[in-house]
């Protein structure tokens, strides 16, 4: 090909080896490469080299998990990625999108819903728990069976699902756990004396955490698959938010927010207080392997302080940083599935 015949590239008043000229062109952006491609046939070949466009694609954050051999034209790949991002931003700004509705269940009210990898778990006032596979819309959603001997089921209050387990909590304090690999019969269930206020399932693990009354309970299977209770914790206030820390070897670890107190709950620890400021309640919570992030309502109209997101290190139990500034409460925060070194949050002032 013509490119293979190029050994020396005319570079003003000198001839440079192709590899050296390519290194110089690596400092150029898309617009500059386009202008250089108009100089001559030789420069056009150089400006359209796959190495240059692959690097640009990676620098802009597109297709980071791909190698240079995965596409035959990285210039086109970058163009398509930018066009897709532009379309998504425009659709988001203009509220344009497609809505697909799961089949309505007559006589039942939807109580809670959760999803993982395209599978949606739904709990109803009838006590039914269904799984919907959104990747196949003709899919008939199976009903996950209640524990043997159970009579009329109370309302479902919470459902959670990950890649291997599904779990549901009911109004009467019952909690059921199903394996997505073993069928529709529950593999484990246990009972609280009061209504369950919060339910957590480790994103990639097999531990379950529940909060009922002033008690937080951890459940997990042992090496032989038999479920047991590694720990229960008695805390001072009612839990509003509960998360299990992912990728923890050994006994499960939970983070619970109860009004204005955040607890780090480990089996070997009676219930360490991670954060507590009287009168500043937690409004949202999420955890990653080594960190916890939560929103704090500071009553800024009184103290002239905006609401913030606090990030804590779960190994040192210290606050790493305070982020954000919102008049409205921070209503959601995503730490575990955000890009590295980033955190996504939303607040009631629509930012």
């Amino acid at each position: 090909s013509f490119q293979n015949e190029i050994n020396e590239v005319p570079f003003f008043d000198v001839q440079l080896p192709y590899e050296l000229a390519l290194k110089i062109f690596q400092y150029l952006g898309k617009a500059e490469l386009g202008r250089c491609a108009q100089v001559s046939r030789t420069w056009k070949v150089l400006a359209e080299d796959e190495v240059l466009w692959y690097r640009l694609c990676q620098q802009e954050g597109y297709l980071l998990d791909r190698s240079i051999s995965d596409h035959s034209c990285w210039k086109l790949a970058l163009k398509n990625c930018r066009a897709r991002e532009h379309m998504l931003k425009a659709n988001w700004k203009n509220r344009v999108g497609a809505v697909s509705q799961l089949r309505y269940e007559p006589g039942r009210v939807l109580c809670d819903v959760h999803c993982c990898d395209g599978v949606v778990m739904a709990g109803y006032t009838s006590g039914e728990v269904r799984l919907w596979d959104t990747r196949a819309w003709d899919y008939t959603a199976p009903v996950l069976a209640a524990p043997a001997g159970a009579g009329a089921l109370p309302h479902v209050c919470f459902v959670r699902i990950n890649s291997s387990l599904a779990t549901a909590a009911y109004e009467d304090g019952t909690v059921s756990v199903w394996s997505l690999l073993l069928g529709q019969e529950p593999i484990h269930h246990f009972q609280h004396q009061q209504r369950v206020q919060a339910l957590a399932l480790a994103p990639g693990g097999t531990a379950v955490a529940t909060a009922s009354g002033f008690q937080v309970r951890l459940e997990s299977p042992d090496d032989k698959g038999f479920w047991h209770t590694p720990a229960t914790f008695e805390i001072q206030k009612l839990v509003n938010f509960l998360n299990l820390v992912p990728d923890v070897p050994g006994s499960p670890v939970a983070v619970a927010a109860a009004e204005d107190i955040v607890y780090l709950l480990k089996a070997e620890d009676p219930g360490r207080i991670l954060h507590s400021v009287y009168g500043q309640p937690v409004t949202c919570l999420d955890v990653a392997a080594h960190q916890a992030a939560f929103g704090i309502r500071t009553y800024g109209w009184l103290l002239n302080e905006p609401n913030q997101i606090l990030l804590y290190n779960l190994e040192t139990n210290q606050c790493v940083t305070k982020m954000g500034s919102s008049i409205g409460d921070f209503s959601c925060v995503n730490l575990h599935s955000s890009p590295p070194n980033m955190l996504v949050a939303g607040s009631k002032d629509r930012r």
Side-chain angles (χ1 to χ4, degrees):
S1 67
F2 177 75
Q3 184 172 346
N4 292 335
E5 296 172 1
I6 299 176
N7 295 319
E8 300 289 325
V9 178
F11 223 85
F12 301 103
D13 56 346
V14 296
Q15 297 279 86
L16 294 180
Y18 186 88
E19 291 77 9
L20 185 56
L22 190 64
K23 284 187 176 295
I24 295 174
F25 271 46
Q26 286 178 355
Y27 293 96
L28 303 180
K30 298 180 293 297
E32 290 86 354
L33 288 175
R35 297 189 189 101
C36 289
Q38 301 174 24
V39 173
S40 67
R41 188 181 176 192
T42 307
W43 277 38
K44 177 177 174 62
V45 172
L46 186 65
E48 294 185 351
D49 191 286
E50 293 301 316
V51 172
L52 297 177
W53 291 95
Y54 172 71
R55 285 170 60 91
L56 282 173
C57 208
Q58 298 275 295
Q59 287 171 6
E60 294 197 17
Y62 301 121
L63 306 175
L64 295 176
D65 58 340
R66 304 296 180 88
S67 67
I68 193 170
S69 60
D70 289 341
H71 285 277
S72 58
C73 181
W74 279 95
K75 182 178 181 180
L76 180 61
L78 178 60
K79 180 181 178 181
N80 291 339
C81 287
R82 288 175 61 85
R84 190 180 303 113
E85 181 180 3
H86 175 76
M87 180 182 68
L88 286 172
K89 286 181 177 179
N91 287 347
W92 178 266
K93 182 177 181 180
N94 297 313
R95 306 295 192 267
V96 176
V99 177
S100 300
Q101 184 173 351
L102 302 176
R103 191 178 64 199
Y104 175 67
E105 295 292 317
R108 298 168 177 83
V109 176
L110 183 65
C111 299
D112 194 28
V113 65
H114 196 236
C115 63
C116 177
D117 298 333
V119 178
V120 177
M121 186 179 184
Y124 297 89
T125 52
S126 63
E128 281 189 357
V129 177
R130 286 179 174 261
L131 295 183
W132 306 85
D133 191 340
T134 61
R135 298 162 295 187
W137 288 105
D138 56 349
Y139 174 83
T140 301
V143 177
L144 296 179
L153 290 173
H155 294 184
V156 175
C157 49
F158 297 103
V159 294
R160 294 291 183 269
I161 185 172
N162 64 16
S163 57
S164 59
L165 293 181
T167 182
Y170 299 86
E171 290 283 349
D172 67 346
T174 301
V175 180
S176 295
V177 182
W178 297 268
S179 167
L180 300 182
L181 302 176
L182 299 180
Q184 296 170 233
E185 297 295 328
I187 59 171
H188 180 57
H189 70 276
F190 56 96
Q191 183 76 41
H192 282 281
Q193 298 303 312
Q194 303 177 55
R195 180 182 183 273
V196 175
Q197 296 154 211
L199 173 67
L201 181 62
T206 55
V208 176
T210 53
S212 176
F214 296 98
Q215 183 186 78
V216 176
R217 178 171 173 171
L218 303 181
E219 296 275 327
S220 65
D222 60 20
D223 295 338
K224 297 181 180 179
F226 295 106
W227 284 75
H228 66 295
T229 307
T232 58
F233 305 90
E234 298 295 331
I235 58 177
Q236 303 169 21
K237 300 184 179 182
L238 298 178
V239 170
N240 305 105
F241 304 99
L242 181 64
N243 286 72
L244 278 161
V245 181
D247 306 322
V248 175
S251 297
V253 176
V255 177
E259 299 181 19
D260 51 15
I261 304 176
V262 180
Y263 295 90
L264 179 62
L265 305 174
K266 299 181 180 181
E268 64 275 10
D269 199 318
R272 178 185 298 274
I273 293 179
L274 190 67
H275 172 87
S276 177
V277 177
Y278 181 75
Q280 295 189 0
V282 174
T283 58
C284 56
L285 168 70
D286 195 27
V287 300
H290 307 291
Q291 295 175 317
F294 45 90
I296 296 293
R297 183 191 300 152
T298 59
Y299 296 109
W301 55 279
L302 278 178
L303 305 176
N304 200 26
E305 292 181 10
N307 299 318
Q308 292 184 310
I309 297 276
L310 273 57
L311 182 68
Y312 269 76
N313 185 309
L314 297 180
E315 296 174 348
T316 64
N317 300 331
Q318 298 297 315
C319 182
V320 178
T321 185
K322 297 181 179 181
M323 297 170 287
S325 174
S326 172
I327 298 174
D329 292 353
F330 279 100
S331 53
C332 58
V333 59
N334 188 304
L335 179 64
H336 75 274
S337 58
S338 293
N341 303 315
M342 295 187 70
L343 177 149
V344 181
S347 65
K348 290 184 177 179
D349 61 4
R350 300 187 179 185
R351 288 192 295 168

